[in-house]
Amino acid sequence: MTQPDGDTLTMEHQHLVLDDGLVLECGVTLAPVQIAYRTYGTLSPTRDNVVLICHALTGDQYVAETHPLTGKPGWWSRLVGPGRPVDTDRYYVVCMNVLGGCMGTTGPSTPRPASGQASPEPWGTDFPPITIADMVHAQARALDAMGIGRLFAVIGGSMGGMLVLQWAASYPERVFAALPIATSPFHSAQNIAFNEVSRQAIFADPDWNGGRYWARGAIPARGLAVARMMAHITYLSEDALTRKFGRRVRQDPVGPAAGPLAPAPLFGEMFEVESYLRHQGSSFVRRFDANSYLTITRAMDYFDLGAEHDGDLAPVFAGTPTRFCVVSFSSDWLFPTSQARFLARALNSAAANVSFVEIDSDKGHDAFLLDEPDLDRTVRGFLSGAAEHAGLI
Amino acid sequence: MTQPDGDTLTMEHQHLVLDDGLVLECGVTLAPVQIAYRTYGTLSPTRDNVVLICHALTGDQYVAETHPLTGKPGWWSRLVGPGRPVDTDRYYVVCMNVLGGCMGTTGPSTPRPASGQASPEPWGTDFPPITIADMVHAQARALDAMGIGRLFAVIGGSMGGMLVLQWAASYPERVFAALPIATSPFHSAQNIAFNEVSRQAIFADPDWNGGRYWARGAIPARGLAVARMMAHITYLSEDALTRKFGRRVRQDPVGPAAGPLAPAPLFGEMFEVESYLRHQGSSFVRRFDANSYLTITRAMDYFDLGAEHDGDLAPVFAGTPTRFCVVSFSSDWLFPTSQARFLARALNSAAANVSFVEIDSDKGHDAFLLDEPDLDRTVRGFLSGAAEHAGLI
């Protein structure tokens, strides 16, 4: 049993509150809704230089600064900052923690309002099911509240790329340029399957306690760590795992502190790849809420932008004024190039302005977060070209 | 908490006992060793028509008859039987439950001998770590006891294919023909990683109880089910999952009996692929022992046939008299064609008689167990050709 980290739940994040809340796709009105966000750079007098960055499943708003919980650099510091491809000397960058998240935006760990209790319980699994569209609508309302109408660009990878596509579909007039990276217009059967195993790993942990883990003063750390370990394999490629670890065995036979995981090694030597995954699993549970993981993975599973048109995306983007740059990575098997190509073709069918770049990389899905000079060049080039067309220069 | 199925532990299987046991690679002498096996067909007077079939991780000796626990057809009934590719009118087929297994062969669920207790406890996690070579040596001793020296052919898929390769490496003079299918001469970093997540899912289940689950009268059903669900995704291809399930939602919103898994659906609708995986996970725990799963997955992880030669297989097979047919499936990403090709090249370098067949299939790793007419033709053709050369015809 692991005690929850007090900081996670009590720390303050920069935020705004939508008092009227949001009518969700499921029909429930969620109010109030708090949105935690960070900004970088300076908003231009004409408010025409806003770049919205959308984070992935376990990301958050701390895109380009030291993370307040982990002390690590922002998750896209490589790409976002002064002089970087998303140049904060030029653009005003906004990043928000998604609806359902656990870094200050309303989600399952938020106290449930209007329960009449002095210290209301968190929503837990009673938090309504949300969708990627709900996340985007919440961001749109938050931008309204910030006085920001049009976005020069919306950028994101993985689930963040789903939000980019939903933004372009729901608010075409507000999105000048869209950069969906390592993503798909629908969640595949294989990805739903992996998500379901993650969820079952959490459900199987008795400390999950039917979603009411706060009642036991514990968190389902073992289940969440197992979920993260499995997900982490899907973020890498076989080549990357072989290159990084191969079949090498740890020289330190005890291995790293196991955290919530079983002591190592129970069965002989420990392979380096095992040690690495254990570390990924153990460190994750200190910064992420299990019920948020359940809620957000479910939102990803629901995502199917062409659902109302039998999977056809062309009607979704017909007449779109947005210019797109679709990016995939050759070794990404979670969001493979075939899905990006399907998206690019549909955008072409819709007569959209679209370019498609498959970046050659052996780093798998995680490539969008790692040192990939071709990605830097693509982002810088697409934004510069778009800025010229937008008259930003 | 799920009660163990009394039948699993108490049912009788046809077996023989090696009283002197076996010296394992780890140095421990395991004695006695019981080997459970099944045979099909008739041993020829000259004992020259023996085909040894090696099962995969969760397979067993019931290869071509109704399974005594599940009531389902034998796992390779399609391939093995009168007139089938492995023709029991012609060959004497032997299949043994592997060392470490749970269908009658000595493994972690076997009572630990010489403990002086009236009803000794099972080995549990004190069962010594075993290797694929240990499994093969045990099979060789069992065949000795059965009066069988040379094998006309050794056939197996997945882990069974590892045993085939180990047989050819350890006992080249006893193996006339070898048919390794959907396998690899070493376990990859990615496969070790998936196995480690499986193990952690089991460790995380409090009913595992440090490996002594019998003491609680329970089995770690939730952990084992999660492990099986994840593994099952790796047995299929993305195309197969899309073809079989796509993004279809179950019409019956409650879903199937969840067994040890969480009640469904906790988060809105249930996708068909989720329902399928739950079924796979829930039904598996009724027939398989968790500590066997841990022990056997570890043996697979250790497997690296070229380890003593820096990964070079040519010295392992130099001068081999065995003829090989290496088979892979185009959509198998667990044991991809690249690994089979590496094996085939090494056998060529060793001047072995080898053919290599990549079968075009969208069924993923599981293809070796499914209806694949090209596999049937390959097995039948290779065995017939070998039989001619062996003078069996």
Side-chain angles (χ1 to χ4, degrees):
Chain A
M1 196 181 285
T2 305
Q3 295 303 318
D5 185 338
D7 288 344
T8 317
L9 298 174
T10 58
M11 78 179 295
E12 274 294 315
H13 302 276
Q14 180 185 2
H15 65 267
L16 54 81
V17 178
L18 307 170
D19 288 317
D20 294 341
L22 201 70
V23 181
L24 301 174
E25 283 208 299
C26 68
V28 171
T29 300
L30 189 66
V33 168
Q34 176 170 308
I35 305 283
Y37 68 97
R38 296 294 294 165
T39 67
Y40 309 90
T42 307
L43 184 60
S44 69
T46 54
R47 300 176 176 238
D48 61 355
N49 70 333
V50 180
V51 173
L52 177 69
I53 292 183
C54 302
H55 67 74
L57 167 57
T58 65
D60 55 41
Q61 66 271 36
Y62 296 99
V63 63
E65 66 196 293
T66 303
H67 193 276
L69 277 179
T70 66
K72 290 185 180 169
W75 58 269
W76 239 359
S77 294
R78 215 194 71 257
L79 214 65
V80 181
R84 309 254 165 174
V86 183
D87 188 349
T88 51
D89 288 338
R90 194 168 175 184
Y91 307 117
Y92 182 63
V93 171
V94 180
C95 188
M96 309 185 208
N97 187 214
V98 295
L99 191 69
C102 51
M103 283 296 279
T105 291
T106 298
S109 57
T110 306
R112 188 171 186 164
S115 60
Q117 292 168 282
S119 48
E121 288 204 319
W123 276 98
T125 54
D126 289 335
F127 192 74
I130 56 170
T131 64
I132 299 293
D134 290 329
M135 295 176 184
V136 164
H137 296 321
Q139 293 186 340
R141 294 296 84 72
L143 289 168
D144 293 344
M146 294 163 77
I148 294 171
R150 294 197 69 194
L151 300 169
F152 164 60
V154 187
I155 307 178
S158 196
M159 185 186 84
M162 293 178 171
L163 271 81
V164 172
L165 295 174
Q166 187 70 58
W167 258 103
S170 298
Y171 302 97
E173 301 298 336
R174 284 180 82 162
V175 181
F176 186 78
L179 192 40
I181 302 169
T183 194
S184 171
F186 59 90
H187 216 216
S188 71
Q190 189 177 63
N191 289 3
I192 294 171
F194 277 121
N195 272 351
E196 173 63 5
V197 177
S198 292
R199 289 187 290 261
Q200 288 293 342
I202 293 169
F203 297 154
D205 188 333
D207 284 339
W208 184 62
N209 191 31
R212 301 185 67 254
Y213 32 90
W214 57 86
R216 291 195 181 177
I219 57 171
R222 287 167 297 181
L224 189 57
V226 168
R228 177 64 167 182
M229 287 177 75
M230 188 200 63
H232 206 84
I233 302 175
T234 69
Y235 300 156
L236 305 175
S237 69
E238 198 206 328
D239 283 351
L241 281 164
T242 300
R243 177 169 43 73
K244 285 175 84 163
F245 308 108
R247 295 184 42 82
R248 285 192 302 278
V249 168
R250 273 189 71 88
Q251 293 311 310
D252 162 20
V254 176
L261 300 170
L266 267 169
F267 287 87
E269 301 163 317
M270 181 174 224
F271 291 97
E272 283 191 6
V273 66
E274 296 176 300
S275 163
Y276 170 78
L277 283 181
R278 277 163 178 265
H279 175 74
Q280 294 296 330
S282 298
S283 57
F284 179 62
V285 303
R286 289 196 289 271
R287 70 172 181 87
F288 213 84
D289 176 64
N291 284 335
S292 270
Y293 199 84
L294 299 171
T295 293
I296 298 175
T297 55
R298 204 50 171 165
M300 293 178 77
D301 291 351
Y302 289 144
F303 189 63
D304 185 7
L305 212 45
E308 288 174 20
H309 308 277
D310 281 335
D312 186 6
L313 291 176
V316 176
F317 292 111
T320 181
T322 304
R323 56 181 55 221
F324 292 84
C325 179
V326 176
V327 177
S328 72
F329 296 94
S330 57
S331 59
D332 183 349
W333 56 278
L334 196 64
F335 290 92
T337 288
S338 58
Q339 292 172 6
R341 193 175 285 123
F342 173 81
L343 169 62
R345 279 192 192 140
L347 288 166
N348 271 316
S349 303
N353 182 333
V354 55
S355 58
F356 169 48
V357 180
E358 183 191 31
I359 293 173
D360 197 43
S361 163
D362 80 344
K363 299 197 182 84
H365 183 62
D366 250 7
F368 84 94
L369 294 170
L370 302 174
D371 183 24
E372 282 290 353
D374 274 355
L375 176 62
D376 301 356
R377 277 189 286 272
T378 300
V379 172
R380 190 187 293 275
F382 175 67
L383 289 183
S384 295
E388 206 167 319
H389 281 275
L392 272 187
I393 303 175
Chain B
M1 196 180 285
T2 305
Q3 295 303 317
D5 185 338
D7 288 342
T8 317
L9 298 174
T10 59
M11 77 178 296
E12 273 295 314
H13 302 275
Q14 181 184 1
H15 65 266
L16 54 80
V17 177
L18 308 171
D19 289 318
D20 295 340
L22 200 71
V23 181
L24 302 174
E25 284 207 298
C26 67
V28 171
T29 299
L30 189 65
V33 168
Q34 176 170 309
I35 305 283
Y37 67 98
R38 297 294 294 165
T39 67
Y40 309 90
T42 308
L43 185 58
S44 68
T46 55
R47 302 175 175 240
D48 63 355
N49 69 333
V50 180
V51 174
L52 178 69
I53 293 183
C54 302
H55 67 74
L57 167 57
T58 65
D60 55 41
Q61 67 272 35
Y62 295 98
V63 63
E65 66 197 293
T66 303
H67 194 276
L69 277 180
T70 66
K72 290 184 180 170
W75 57 270
W76 238 0
S77 294
R78 216 194 71 257
L79 214 66
V80 181
R84 308 254 165 171
V86 183
D87 188 350
T88 52
D89 288 339
R90 195 168 175 182
Y91 307 118
Y92 182 63
V93 171
V94 180
C95 188
M96 309 184 207
N97 187 214
V98 296
L99 191 69
C102 51
M103 284 295 280
T105 290
T106 298
S109 58
T110 306
R112 189 173 185 161
S115 60
Q117 293 168 283
S119 49
E121 287 203 322
W123 277 99
T125 54
D126 289 335
F127 192 74
I130 57 169
T131 64
I132 299 293
D134 290 330
M135 295 177 184
V136 164
H137 297 321
Q139 293 187 339
R141 295 295 84 73
L143 289 168
D144 293 344
M146 295 163 77
I148 293 171
R150 294 198 69 194
L151 301 168
F152 164 62
V154 187
I155 307 178
S158 196
M159 185 186 84
M162 292 178 171
L163 271 82
V164 172
L165 295 173
Q166 187 70 55
W167 257 104
S170 297
Y171 302 97
E173 300 297 336
R174 285 180 82 162
V175 181
F176 186 78
L179 191 41
I181 302 169
T183 193
S184 171
F186 60 88
H187 216 216
S188 71
Q190 190 177 63
N191 289 3
I192 294 171
F194 277 122
N195 272 351
E196 173 64 3
V197 177
S198 292
R199 289 187 291 262
Q200 288 293 343
I202 293 169
F203 297 154
D205 188 334
D207 285 339
W208 183 62
N209 191 30
R212 300 185 68 254
Y213 32 90
W214 58 84
R216 291 194 181 178
I219 57 171
R222 287 167 297 182
L224 190 56
V226 169
R228 177 64 166 181
M229 287 177 76
M230 189 200 63
H232 207 83
I233 302 175
T234 70
Y235 300 156
L236 305 176
S237 68
E238 198 206 330
D239 282 352
L241 280 165
T242 300
R243 178 169 42 76
K244 286 174 83 162
F245 308 109
R247 296 184 39 84
R248 284 192 303 279
V249 168
R250 272 189 73 86
Q251 292 312 308
D252 162 19
V254 177
L261 300 170
L266 267 168
F267 287 86
E269 300 164 317
M270 181 173 225
F271 290 98
E272 284 191 6
V273 66
E274 295 176 301
S275 164
Y276 171 77
L277 283 181
R278 276 161 177 264
H279 176 73
Q280 294 295 330
S282 297
S283 57
F284 179 61
V285 302
R286 289 196 289 270
R287 70 172 181 87
F288 213 84
D289 176 65
N291 284 335
S292 271
Y293 199 86
L294 299 172
T295 293
I296 299 175
T297 54
R298 203 52 170 164
M300 293 178 76
D301 291 351
Y302 290 144
F303 189 65
D304 185 7
L305 211 45
E308 289 174 17
H309 308 277
D310 280 337
D312 187 4
L313 292 175
V316 176
F317 292 111
T320 181
T322 304
R323 57 181 56 222
F324 292 85
C325 178
V326 176
V327 177
S328 71
F329 296 94
S330 57
S331 58
D332 184 349
W333 57 277
L334 197 63
F335 290 93
T337 288
S338 58
Q339 293 172 6
R341 192 175 287 124
F342 173 82
L343 169 63
R345 278 192 192 140
L347 288 165
N348 271 316
S349 303
N353 183 334
V354 56
S355 58
F356 169 48
V357 181
E358 183 192 31
I359 293 173
D360 197 43
S361 163
D362 79 345
K363 300 197 181 81
H365 182 61
D366 249 7
F368 84 94
L369 293 170
L370 302 175
D371 183 24
E372 282 290 352
D374 274 356
L375 175 62
D376 301 355
R377 277 189 286 273
T378 300
V379 172
R380 189 188 294 275
F382 175 68
L383 289 183
S384 294
E388 205 168 319
H389 282 275
L392 273 187
I393 302 175

